Amino acid sequence: MSANDQVNTMKDIDKKSILVIDDDVTIRKLITHHLKLNNYSTYEAKNAEEAFKVLKESHIDLVLSDVTMDEMDGFEFCQKVRSNEKHRFLPFVFVTAKNTLEDKFKAIESGGDDIITKPFDIKELILKVQALLKRSEVYRTYGLKKSIQSTFTERKTRILFVDDDPTITKLFKYNLDNAGFDCNAVNSVDEALKVSKHFHPDIIISDIMMPGTDGYQFRKKLLQDDELKSVPFIFLTAKATDEDILEGYDLGITDYVVKTAGPKLVIAKVSAIIKSLKDERSKAISELHQAASSLGAKVVPDNTPIFNGYKISQWHIPYRGIPGGDFIDYYKVDENNLLIILGDVMGKKWGAWYFAFAYAGYIRSSIRGTLQSTDANSPAEILHRVNNAVYKDSKISEVFVAISVVLINSKTFELKYCGAGDNPLIIKESSSGIIKKISSEGLLLGFSKDSEYSDTILKLNNNDIIIIMTDGITESRNTEGKQFGELKLDEVLKSDKLNTDPMEVLKSEFIEFTNQSFEDDVSLITIQVNN
């Protein structure tokens, strides 16, 4: 193969493939001709049967479909396409002579992304194709990172609506709230930026033409914020020129809705976006778990160990369902001694899910290797050896770990603790009700080769409670922006209910406070003494 042939082959690989479905051969040829002129690969089908065959045998990036076809119309065809897991996120545009509001709702309800009416402007068709292909990239990018969170039960989707016209904001807030969404409507970009910090919107809808800071400037500000730049963004505006639409998509927006469409169409679009993001997220997370399983990697054991004289419970919720970050491990030193390890990978330099797995595995291996060559009865000595190994490894020296290491003894009921940049170890004494918080002076693992670690040794009594947690607990906020923090934690710790089942009490109080909107991995270990 020549160099030119190789270049041409690569260009063909990069081309997006579009399936054109219409029983009118003239329309099909007209559309495919202009798509090819714009560097798209095309496939043709005259009915649903042929279209299904193409979808089965070829990779398709977008579908342009007529509505009126023999045997099966376009709406039914789209629904059947969407029912296939493989094609759930496939951009789908109806090209039809039907132009009523009812037809537009049917198009969205059947799973379509947009509708173009015949006779159509070929420039409009190409524009919509470009926009939808860009949007599909946005879904792939945002779907995993910042999607609609569901941990135990579904919560209302939070929508931040921004428009300088109070009448418009009231109208849309009323309709969005009635549709089951949690809408926070504001009248300026400054207010929107302030609200978004504690409201944590799942979707942002913004007008473009606003005094002071307009919608484009608002979007640019969001793109500079590591948290908010990944929130799906919709422009709602009276402006609908080709240049305006393309400028919006160049800023990575998810969709673009004309104001005159009305609240009902906006709600339908929002619902479609939420569904697409949920489906994309579910698929991506499923793939991550499959990949992790194939690597034999786990950040948290399935079960806590049974250890004489102690009841050990654990709770771990990965951030937005994506495995990584926090890790838990247990190591039985001998018949009488059990090591409990809770770690939090910080500064994930590469930002990849598999890095947390790999790094957790690295730390575990270091700890287990250290246990073979040093005093396993000293958490401080273990951390000292592991820190030296981590610091010397140039590949990971810029990544740090906060870690708690606790050794419990079933014969003497003695506890030894050492930590590195971790949350304080908490002990509630059963006899007095006194709550002790033991802070470690050790630096984060890998931060300094000269880090010093020392053991704290405590005598445990029957019914004492030990709590180990990562900062995902204390730093999570409620819908008003208030942190769970030390004050709320102390309130729960002082409660008599804690003595019955500390894990369930802490979990329920935390879930109620945060409304299941967690800002990091959440990891908690409770230990009850039953000697």
Side-chain angles (χ1 to χ4, degrees):
M1 182 184 290
S2 69
N4 286 337
D5 288 338
Q6 288 177 335
V7 171
N8 290 334
T9 300
M10 289 304 295
K11 285 182 178 179
D12 289 340
I13 291 171
D14 292 338
K15 282 184 180 180
K16 297 293 185 182
S17 298
I18 299 174
L19 171 58
V20 181
I21 312 164
D22 201 302
D23 54 5
D24 187 328
V25 65
T26 305
I27 296 291
R28 286 205 315 270
K29 296 300 180 187
L30 173 66
I31 293 174
T32 55
H33 170 72
H34 285 283
L35 288 171
K36 286 177 180 177
L37 287 179
N38 283 271
N39 202 36
Y40 294 109
S41 296
T42 60
Y43 294 82
E44 296 181 35
K46 65 184 178 186
N47 54 35
E49 183 181 355
E50 289 186 3
F52 281 127
K53 186 178 180 182
V54 173
L55 287 171
K56 183 178 180 181
E57 297 176 353
S58 306
H59 172 78
I60 300 297
D61 294 298
L62 183 142
V63 174
L64 292 170
S65 176
D66 188 19
V67 170
T68 307
M69 297 186 290
D70 293 336
E71 297 180 10
M72 184 186 296
D73 68 17
F75 296 140
E76 185 182 353
F77 170 71
C78 183
Q79 287 177 324
K80 288 187 178 293
V81 168
R82 288 284 186 251
S83 68
N84 185 326
E85 180 76 23
K86 183 180 176 183
H87 304 308
R88 190 173 291 176
F89 318 114
L90 182 64
F92 199 109
V93 182
F94 291 105
V95 184
T96 177
K98 297 186 175 187
N99 192 28
T100 67
L101 190 58
E102 182 183 356
D103 291 322
K104 290 182 178 179
F105 276 118
K106 264 189 175 180
I108 291 176
E109 287 172 358
S110 64
D113 294 287
D114 215 327
I115 187 168
I116 298 173
T117 54
K118 299 177 184 177
F120 54 83
D121 184 316
I122 198 68
K123 288 183 178 179
E124 179 194 6
L125 185 142
I126 298 298
L127 174 66
K128 294 214 172 186
V129 166
Q130 291 173 342
L132 278 170
L133 287 171
K134 276 191 177 184
R135 195 176 88 176
S136 68
E137 291 299 322
V138 170
Y139 281 149
R140 276 191 283 273
T141 303
Y142 291 170
L144 175 59
K145 290 182 180 177
K146 305 286 177 186
S147 187
I148 310 307
Q149 180 177 329
S150 54
T151 306
F152 297 96
T153 57
E154 289 292 329
R155 63 162 171 78
K156 286 184 178 181
T157 298
R158 296 175 186 153
I159 298 174
L160 177 60
F161 187 93
V162 191
D163 196 299
D164 63 300
D165 186 336
T167 304
I168 293 290
T169 54
K170 287 179 183 177
L171 173 66
F172 276 91
K173 176 174 172 54
Y174 174 81
N175 281 275
L176 288 164
D177 283 343
N178 277 356
F181 301 110
D182 180 7
C183 179
N184 196 329
V186 298
N187 298 121
S188 72
V189 169
D190 288 344
E191 193 177 357
L193 291 169
K194 183 178 179 181
V195 165
S196 61
K197 291 296 184 181
H198 62 78
F199 182 61
H200 301 297
D202 298 308
I203 292 179
I204 297 172
I205 303 173
S206 174
D207 187 20
I208 289 182
M209 301 300 292
M210 292 184 286
T213 307
D214 66 17
Y216 293 129
Q217 292 170 317
F218 177 34
R219 178 59 181 160
K220 288 174 182 176
K221 285 177 180 289
L222 293 177
L223 291 173
Q224 294 171 4
D225 188 296
D226 287 339
E227 180 71 19
L228 297 174
K229 69 181 180 182
S230 297
V231 176
F233 190 100
I234 300 173
F235 270 139
L236 176 72
T237 182
K239 298 180 73 177
T241 65
D242 293 357
E243 291 77 12
D244 295 326
I245 293 172
L246 285 175
E247 184 175 353
Y249 282 113
D250 285 341
L251 291 172
I253 69 168
T254 312
D255 212 338
Y256 204 114
V257 182
V258 179
K259 267 186 183 179
T260 52
K264 288 186 178 179
L265 191 58
V266 172
I267 288 166
K269 286 251 185 184
V270 168
S271 298
I273 289 167
I274 290 168
K275 185 178 185 305
S276 295
L277 290 169
K278 281 184 177 180
D279 289 344
E280 182 70 27
R281 175 181 175 273
S282 296
K283 182 182 177 184
I285 290 174
S286 175
E287 290 172 353
L288 293 185
H289 282 292
Q290 288 174 12
S293 179
S294 69
L295 290 172
K298 278 191 176 182
V299 292
V300 174
D302 291 330
N303 301 297
T304 56
I306 297 173
F307 192 58
N308 187 41
Y310 298 89
K311 180 186 175 184
I312 303 169
S313 303
Q314 69 181 31
W315 183 46
H316 172 73
I317 300 295
Y319 179 57
R320 303 204 172 189
I322 302 168
D326 290 359
F327 62 91
I328 296 172
D329 204 2
Y330 304 97
Y331 184 88
K332 194 168 184 180
V333 179
D334 54 41
E335 184 180 346
N336 297 319
N337 289 285
L338 177 73
L339 268 178
I340 300 171
I341 298 159
L342 175 59
D344 181 4
V345 178
M346 305 174 68
K348 284 169 275 197
K349 185 178 176 183
W350 297 281
W353 69 270
Y354 49 80
F355 173 71
F357 278 119
Y359 196 81
Y362 174 88
I363 296 296
R364 285 171 170 161
S365 296
S366 296
I367 290 173
R368 289 172 182 265
T370 297
L371 292 173
Q372 306 303 317
S373 59
T374 192
D375 181 9
N377 292 310
S378 171
E381 183 60 24
I382 292 168
L383 286 183
H384 175 73
R385 295 288 187 97
V386 173
N387 181 69
N388 283 348
V390 170
Y391 187 82
K392 289 175 183 176
D393 193 327
S394 60
K395 293 179 182 178
I396 58 173
S397 60
E398 292 181 35
V399 185
F400 312 119
V401 171
I403 190 169
S404 303
V405 180
V406 172
L407 181 74
I408 51 177
N409 186 288
S410 61
K411 189 175 182 180
T412 63
F413 287 93
E414 186 179 76
L415 177 147
K416 291 182 182 178
Y417 158 72
C418 185
D422 56 333
N423 270 21
L425 179 77
I426 299 170
I427 295 180
K428 183 174 183 179
E429 294 182 349
S430 60
S431 57
S432 63
I434 291 173
I435 297 163
K436 295 180 179 179
K437 294 183 181 178
I438 302 164
S439 298
S440 172
E441 300 299 323
L443 297 177
L444 294 164
L445 284 185
F447 188 79
S448 169
K449 66 177 180 179
D450 299 320
S451 292
E452 293 185 3
Y453 303 99
S454 60
D455 289 327
T456 297
I457 303 174
L458 299 166
K459 179 69 176 178
L460 299 174
N461 296 302
N462 192 35
N463 295 322
D464 283 356
I465 297 169
I466 302 102
I467 298 169
I468 316 168
M469 65 177 70
T470 56
D471 56 15
I473 298 280
T474 51
E475 293 183 2
S476 285
R477 301 173 186 270
N478 61 13
T479 54
E480 298 174 352
K482 185 178 179 182
Q483 275 193 350
F484 189 80
E486 295 296 324
L487 290 177
K488 181 63 179 176
L489 178 60
D490 286 346
E491 179 186 317
V492 179
L493 293 174
K494 290 173 184 176
S495 168
D496 291 336
K497 293 187 297 182
L498 190 77
N499 301 330
T500 57
D501 193 337
M503 175 58 74
E504 288 307 312
V505 171
L506 281 163
K507 275 173 59 177
S508 61
E509 291 285 347
F510 181 68
I511 290 168
E512 182 180 355
F513 181 87
T514 59
N515 194 27
Q516 302 180 44
S517 180
F518 310 144
E519 298 181 23
D520 196 355
D521 290 358
V522 172
S523 297
L524 173 68
I525 299 173
T526 61
I527 307 165
Q528 287 176 281
V529 182
N530 295 316
N531 61 2

